Amino acid sequence: MPRRRHEPSDEALESLLAEHNGGKGEHIRDVLTTMVLNSRDGALLPSERVLAERFGVARMTVRGSIDALESKGMVRRVPGRGTFVQHPTLTHSEIFRSFSEDMRMRGMTPGAKSYRARTRPATRAVAASLDIAPGEPTHYIERIRTADGIPMALERTNLAAARFPNLPTVMGHDDSLYEVLGRVFGVRLESARQTVTIARLTDTEAKRLEVAEGSPAFLIERISVDNMGKVVEFGRSLYRGDRYAIEMHVSPPSTEG
């Protein structure tokens, strides 16, 4: 019987099985988790029968591991069709926190790749957002932010070089920018003004985020302010539309007066 579309290959499964040296229960959980993380959203997993044969265990043992994945929201069962990969949708809320802090609170490990940092003159738009004069030097930092190794956002931000002169040298590629600002420069971020629009990823952006060209993304423009009311950063970042949802709290207008 031909394999259904997007089902992980037998070769990929055999490779994962060969790489693990732990106990049987841990083995099954780790292999299935890795398979889900490396598969496309909506991919069909091998059947319980096939997995039981590969692992050399009873189907009930495999079923228990799949139950654990389902309880975490990593897969979904469709009666009569099988078990499908379900990548979690993360809520981008109004609560002001760094990407690293947000991922840790979700039980995920934050990281980064494709890190780029350079100092350049501020354009008029960047200068206006940072409340500095056009042409003043700014640090531009760009990187792909990851959660458990999965690309989640293309982060781009600008900061005044006069206020943070050695920022590129004291900040590691995986570091939280806000944590570095607090630890090295004594800056405490207080709030941010954000606007969210919908964008289509270019071919280059899509490749860096490991999604299809033209995939939708949230373009989040943020101006962060410290506890003294001074602008700290101006950024325009792209968050994957298939992994994020925007949460907003609304209320009726005040009737006082």
Side-chain angles (χ1 to χ4, degrees):
M1 180 177 180
R3 181 178 293 109
R4 298 186 199 180
R5 188 169 178 262
H6 298 326
E7 182 174 341
S9 67
D10 290 339
E11 293 78 8
L13 179 57
E14 294 294 346
S15 176
L16 290 171
L17 288 169
E19 290 174 0
H20 202 285
N21 298 314
K24 185 70 71 174
E26 180 185 1
H27 189 177
I28 296 174
R29 289 192 300 273
D30 286 355
V31 170
L32 292 181
T33 297
T34 301
M35 181 182 296
V36 167
L37 293 176
N38 290 338
S39 299
R40 290 186 179 185
D41 190 34
L44 177 65
L45 292 183
S47 68
E48 291 179 2
R49 178 186 60 78
V50 169
L51 290 172
E53 291 175 356
R54 294 291 194 277
F55 287 116
V57 298
R59 289 180 63 173
M60 286 299 296
T61 303
V62 171
R63 187 170 303 164
S65 295
I66 295 177
D67 287 343
L69 294 182
E70 187 176 32
S71 69
K72 294 180 179 179
M74 299 179 70
V75 300
R76 59 186 175 88
R77 285 188 171 100
V78 180
R81 296 184 59 196
T83 302
F84 296 84
V85 172
Q86 178 173 277
H87 291 163
T89 298
L90 306 182
T91 302
H92 195 287
S93 71
E94 295 176 337
I95 299 174
F96 180 51
R97 59 171 65 103
S98 70
F99 178 91
S100 296
E101 181 185 7
D102 188 34
M103 292 304 109
R104 292 191 195 110
M105 291 185 67
R106 299 176 192 270
M108 307 174 80
T109 302
K113 61 181 182 178
S114 301
Y115 180 91
R116 304 172 184 174
R118 63 180 184 272
T119 303
R120 62 186 188 183
T123 63
R124 288 188 177 275
V126 170
S129 297
L130 290 177
D131 198 21
I132 61 176
E136 285 193 29
T138 58
H139 298 313
Y140 173 75
I141 298 173
E142 177 181 303
R143 54 184 173 168
I144 299 294
R145 299 311 311 267
T146 63
D148 290 343
I150 305 298
M152 303 297 288
L154 172 54
E155 185 180 83
R156 297 167 171 143
T157 193
N158 305 267
L159 304 95
R163 187 175 183 187
F164 311 108
N166 60 335
L167 178 60
T169 60
V170 299
M171 180 174 168
H173 293 190
D174 292 334
D175 287 345
S176 164
L177 172 62
Y178 292 175
E179 290 174 5
V180 171
L181 293 178
R183 183 179 72 251
V184 179
F185 300 97
V187 172
R188 181 163 64 88
L189 278 296
E190 184 77 16
S191 62
R193 301 191 300 273
Q194 289 191 162
T195 59
V196 181
T197 55
I198 303 299
R200 289 284 179 183
L201 297 174
T202 65
D203 185 31
T204 299
E205 293 167 341
K207 286 179 179 178
R208 296 180 69 187
L209 286 172
E210 299 179 12
V211 297
E213 179 183 358
S215 294
F218 292 110
L219 173 59
I220 299 181
E221 187 172 292
R222 171 185 284 192
I223 297 177
S224 302
V225 179
D226 65 17
N227 59 317
M228 301 300 291
K230 295 182 179 180
V231 174
V232 174
E233 65 155 346
F234 165 64
R236 301 180 80 246
S237 301
L238 290 164
Y239 286 75
R240 286 176 51 168
D242 64 332
R243 300 304 297 269
Y244 275 92
I246 303 297
E247 179 182 278
M248 294 179 290
H249 298 278
V250 298
S251 59
S254 173
T255 58
E256 294 182 2

